[in-house]
Amino acid sequence: MDKFAEAGKPPQGRRRVRAAQYLRMSTDGQTYSIQNQRDAIRSYADVMGYDIVATYEDPGRSGLHIEGRPGLKKLLFDVEHGLVDFETVVIYDVSRWGRFQNIDESASYEYRCQMAGVRIEFCAEQFGNDGTVGSDVLKAIKRSMAAEYSRSLSQKVFMGQVRVAGMGFHVGGLQGLGLRRLMIDQFGRPKVILARNEHKSLQSDRVIIVPGPPEEVATVRLIFRLFVGSRKTETEIARYLNDRGVANDFGRPWKCGSVRRVLTNEKYIGNNVWNRRCTKLKSKVVYNPPDQWVRADNAFEPIVSRRLFEKAQQIVKSLYLRMSDDEMLAALRNLHNRHGKLSHAIIKAAPECPSGWRYRSRFGSVLDAYRLIGCLPPRQGHFIDLKKRLEVIRYRVMEDLQDAIKKVGGHVSCDPDTELIRINDEFTVVIAIARCRVSHNAYPRWSSKAARETAADIFVLIRMHPGDLAIRDYLIAPMHELAEISGNFHVNNGMKLDAFLFQSLDPLVALAERAFVGSAT
């Protein structure tokens, strides 16, 4: 504000300009709080003679990408579709616009506004965004500095995590069935067992892994005994546990992959292993080679003997020999040539071919592997693309719901592993999506396995219109109301379920809304 301090009042003879303000804060600290930005922009607008007529906000949002920033998306949409009645957008500084790692991305969003006749101004920068050479050079430098700040901060945080993990403390990730996170103070004294979605609040506190409930510990030991002693396969172990009503650590039925996660988790012998995979600056997940893992052996109390665990690893390695992508595809191609077709049963019965799980983990899905060897029928290829498109719609609905709840004062969080949405720490919601299938008598129907498998309190099913291009409605129902449904939802489910059909997720937002109640006089 130094460059305007001498003025103190709007320039004489200039018409007042209608302007909008864009506010963003991640976790940068109080300097960049939403209120501080708002105050600075208001002072700037008073000096310049601007009337702030619209506000776009992204509180608690990272500036690395435009994804997850509904405020900036709405600003661009409104500007490009002629839905605004302002000619300037005022932002605190370049970093609030974004810390995009590619500065051309930052410039592209500003350019889109300029092409629609809306200027971008930064009230706390020491240059006017007027298109002069000096202004453009300084702005490019500021964009680079904003990007470098995120890179530098990310590296510092990563090095701190490496040091803490090397000391044997739990840094992040799932602990696993039969284990719990214990928060301790700086002197090693226990404080409290952390529940899921709970985190330590003091920087001096640390988290270690301790044995969990005895029944979960017994389940883990049973899995190892069945695998090593009885030589049962992972599929057989999963079926054994499910038949006895034993749930995994997410409260879901066991599958082959969840059994394997138990068998290969070194935390069960007390080893702390971190940095198996990483995602820095919102980039894609990268699986690191073993020499980059951070290890601290004997950091926790073991619940499985080291001898038993090592025997399990030998069996796992013999079952899943390391093959390159080309070798895996060649084995699949030879299997197809020999049988003339491919199926899960054919792959499972071929000892020279990796399991379907290995193809899914390496190529995304078994059908994607089929496509790579040129034996995927067009109909199956269509359903792969359809599934991906529906997942995009589902994630957008989940994001919009969380934004709407925050706007009405509710608290919402989403577990990235289970995708359960927790609202006000009172109830959980799971959102599924179903494509529309039309029966032989022309009645639409929808199906969802999630209606039977989820452990949420409320189940939401996004039902698509025929053609699967637009959303038809939302089924929002308590889980106990779906007990009689075998899996298919028809266009007319009867009065009991039709009462839970809505055109939007407003009922959930209304449940989350919090109203201020004044004190009694």
Side-chain angles (χ1 to χ4, degrees):
M1 294 303 300
D2 293 340
K3 58 183 177 179
F4 303 106
E6 298 178 359
K9 59 182 180 178
Q12 297 295 323
R14 179 187 298 180
R15 70 176 181 87
R16 297 191 66 84
V17 174
R18 296 176 66 82
Q21 58 182 347
Y22 174 71
L23 315 169
R24 183 190 69 81
M25 179 189 69
S26 53
T27 56
D28 292 335
Q30 190 64 26
T31 303
Y32 288 117
S33 71
I34 293 294
Q35 189 56 49
N36 283 356
Q37 295 177 54
R38 196 187 303 272
D39 292 343
I41 291 175
R42 182 172 60 249
S43 299
Y44 176 87
D46 290 342
V47 171
M48 296 299 294
Y50 291 175
D51 290 328
I52 303 297
V53 298
T55 299
Y56 298 86
E57 294 186 24
D58 279 323
R61 301 287 181 167
S62 169
L64 292 171
H65 291 287
I66 194 172
E67 296 303 324
R69 294 171 64 180
L72 180 56
K73 288 182 178 179
K74 182 170 177 29
L75 170 61
L76 294 173
F77 180 88
D78 290 350
V79 167
E80 293 183 317
H81 288 79
L83 304 178
V84 300
D85 60 348
F86 52 80
E87 55 193 87
T88 298
V89 177
V90 182
I91 307 166
Y92 182 75
D93 64 9
V94 172
S95 69
R96 298 305 89 201
W97 184 246
R99 297 189 184 277
F100 303 101
Q101 295 305 290
N102 186 338
I103 64 174
D104 290 338
E105 181 180 1
S106 177
S108 69
Y109 300 137
E110 183 177 339
Y111 178 76
R112 288 165 60 179
C113 292
Q114 291 175 351
M115 289 299 97
V118 175
R119 296 181 63 250
I120 302 296
E121 294 187 21
F122 306 103
C123 70
E125 299 290 4
Q126 299 301 313
F127 61 86
N129 195 17
D130 53 10
T132 61
V133 174
S135 171
D136 290 345
V137 169
L138 288 174
K139 185 166 56 175
I141 293 174
K142 286 286 188 175
R143 286 172 179 160
S144 298
M145 291 173 61
E148 179 58 30
Y149 174 85
S150 293
R151 287 192 290 268
S152 176
L153 181 61
S154 174
Q155 184 63 21
K156 291 178 181 178
V157 171
F158 176 75
M159 294 307 298
Q161 291 175 322
V162 168
R163 182 182 64 84
V164 172
M167 295 169 64
F169 297 113
H170 181 70
V171 176
L174 299 175
Q175 65 270 14
L177 182 74
L179 300 173
R180 291 295 186 270
R181 296 175 300 146
L182 173 64
M183 184 171 66
I184 61 177
D185 63 17
Q186 57 184 329
F187 302 107
R189 293 175 299 204
K191 297 181 70 173
V192 66
I193 295 290
L194 296 174
R196 181 165 290 170
N197 298 319
E198 290 184 345
H199 306 280
K200 70 184 187 72
S201 56
L202 298 179
Q203 190 173 7
S204 59
D205 289 342
R206 292 288 181 260
V207 177
I208 61 173
I209 298 297
V210 296
E215 60 273 15
E216 292 188 14
V217 173
T219 300
V220 171
R221 291 171 176 167
L222 173 63
I223 290 173
F224 276 92
R225 289 199 303 270
L226 292 174
F227 187 70
V228 176
S230 303
R231 288 304 178 103
K232 290 186 176 294
T233 65
E234 294 152 337
T235 302
E236 291 172 338
I237 294 174
R239 188 180 302 115
Y240 178 89
L241 296 173
N242 291 334
D243 290 343
R244 285 154 181 77
V246 180
N248 64 15
D249 47 335
F250 294 116
R252 300 174 179 174
W254 288 89
K255 295 183 180 180
C256 179
S258 52
V259 173
R260 187 179 302 110
R261 282 195 297 271
V262 171
L263 293 170
T264 57
N265 189 349
E266 290 191 47
K267 290 187 177 70
Y268 294 124
I269 57 173
N271 293 349
N272 187 35
V273 183
W274 183 74
N275 200 38
R276 290 175 180 266
R277 63 178 188 175
C278 67
T279 172
K280 296 181 179 179
L281 299 174
K282 304 292 184 179
S283 60
K284 292 183 179 179
V285 175
V286 176
Y287 289 88
N288 297 320
D291 61 340
Q292 295 184 14
W293 297 354
V294 180
R295 306 184 61 90
D297 294 340
N298 302 314
F300 314 129
E301 178 184 348
I303 64 175
V304 173
S305 70
R306 186 172 294 272
R307 181 181 179 184
L308 182 62
F309 184 84
E310 290 175 350
K311 286 184 178 180
Q313 304 320 298
Q314 292 174 0
I315 298 175
V316 169
K317 290 180 180 178
S318 66
L319 292 176
Y320 307 109
L321 297 175
R322 180 68 182 176
M323 299 175 67
S324 66
D325 291 357
D326 292 339
E327 290 172 338
M328 291 180 65
L329 293 176
L332 194 63
R333 190 178 294 108
N334 293 335
L335 194 63
H336 177 264
N337 293 337
R338 189 162 67 249
H339 292 271
K341 62 180 181 179
L342 287 174
S343 68
H344 177 74
I346 292 175
I347 294 175
K348 185 177 180 180
E352 77 281 4
C353 198
S355 67
W357 176 87
R358 300 298 293 179
Y359 283 104
R360 287 195 297 272
S361 63
R362 190 74 66 88
F363 303 104
S365 71
V366 178
L367 293 181
D368 283 333
Y370 290 179
R371 175 184 287 174
L372 290 173
I373 65 174
C375 69
L376 179 67
R379 177 178 172 83
Q380 290 181 318
H382 165 73
F383 286 123
I384 290 177
D385 296 335
L386 173 60
K387 183 178 179 181
K388 293 179 179 178
R389 187 170 73 246
L390 292 181
E391 278 299 288
V392 171
I393 295 175
R394 185 173 74 92
Y395 280 117
R396 186 171 65 241
V397 170
M398 292 173 61
E399 183 179 281
D400 291 344
L401 173 63
Q402 295 178 70
D403 292 338
I405 291 174
K406 291 177 181 178
K407 287 182 179 179
V408 297
H411 177 267
V412 61
S413 62
C414 181
D415 189 315
D417 298 298
T418 64
E419 295 187 346
L420 283 178
I421 298 176
R422 181 174 296 276
I423 299 176
N424 293 332
D425 290 326
E426 296 172 353
F427 60 93
T428 56
V429 176
V430 67
I431 297 180
I433 190 168
R435 65 185 182 92
C436 182
R437 304 181 183 183
V438 180
S439 64
H440 65 278
N441 53 5
Y443 285 105
R445 61 183 182 182
W446 302 263
S447 64
S448 174
K449 294 181 180 179
R452 302 188 300 272
E453 298 178 354
T454 182
D457 300 311
I458 296 178
F459 175 70
V460 176
L461 181 67
I462 307 170
R463 305 201 309 183
M464 302 298 291
H465 272 297
D468 302 309
L469 296 177
I471 296 175
R472 173 193 176 104
D473 54 28
Y474 301 87
L475 176 69
I476 308 175
M479 281 303 304
H480 64 84
E481 296 287 352
L482 306 179
E484 300 177 0
I485 300 297
S486 61
N488 285 334
F489 300 88
H490 298 273
V491 68
N492 185 355
N493 300 293
M495 292 182 62
K496 183 175 182 180
L497 281 184
D498 285 348
F500 298 109
L501 291 177
F502 302 91
Q503 294 303 310
S504 70
L505 296 182
D506 289 346
L508 278 179
V509 178
L511 282 175
E513 187 172 3
R514 288 293 177 262
F516 174 76
V517 179
S519 58
T521 57

